[in-house]
Amino acid sequence: MASIDLKREPRYRYRATTTPAMVTVPPRPFLMVDGEGDPNTAPAYRAAVETLYPLAYALRAAVKAATGDAYTVMPLEGLWWADDMSTFSVAAKDEWRWTLMISLPDAVEQVDAADVLARAVAAKRPPAGDRVRLESYAEGDAAQVLHRGPFATEPATIERLHAFIDSERRVLRGRHHEIYLSDLRRTAPEKLRTLIRQPVAPR
């Protein structure tokens, strides 16, 4: 039996420092659920979280049964945007659109993922089971930084990241990406670790 460590392939995908840096992120399959609204109050957000984890574990069990390979279910990630990005603001969370997702190993291609998900949805009846999908996602060139502390203090970190992007003669493209490295249920806000990533293009 092999152990697949997604945090090491490539290593920077889930590791960053508080100093912004450029990376190139290759494609990887993800389990995804789309939604909209304030993550603090929108029922759809909680439903997405409550759906992704049991289905991620179902896929993990199927991969292990089919290949003998084991892997750790990865942390929650989120893509965030607004229909009009010029209006995207922390003060207008009700207007946010998002995709919550969990990274999967390439080995998931060795099982009938659609069948595994269909059977898991029928058995577990997760609240967003009708909205879940498996999709490859690649960001290519991006800048990223580690944010330490509560989400309320993220704007200053994001501002530093955007200033770095400008200094690298790049412009923002795509969607704001956050990877929640800490267990949100068990970690004090001041100790949270969030990897913030922004795809970029040449100026």
Side-chain angles (χ1 to χ4, degrees), residues 54-120:
L55 298 188
Y57 278 101
L59 284 171
R60 178 184 182 276
V63 169
K64 185 176 181 181
T67 69
D69 295 337
Y71 64 92
T72 300
V73 170
M74 299 302 289
L76 185 69
E77 307 185 30
L79 304 177
W80 301 89
W81 74 99
D83 288 332
D84 180 0
M85 284 303 291
S86 67
T87 67
F88 188 76
S89 166
V90 295
K93 294 180 180 179
D94 288 342
E95 299 175 9
W96 286 2
R97 296 171 63 85
W98 41 262
T99 297
L100 294 187
M101 56 194 195
I102 293 178
S103 177
L104 302 169
D106 292 333
V108 75
E109 298 173 356
Q110 300 184 47
V111 302
D112 187 342
D115 180 65
V116 173
L117 292 175
R119 287 188 284 107

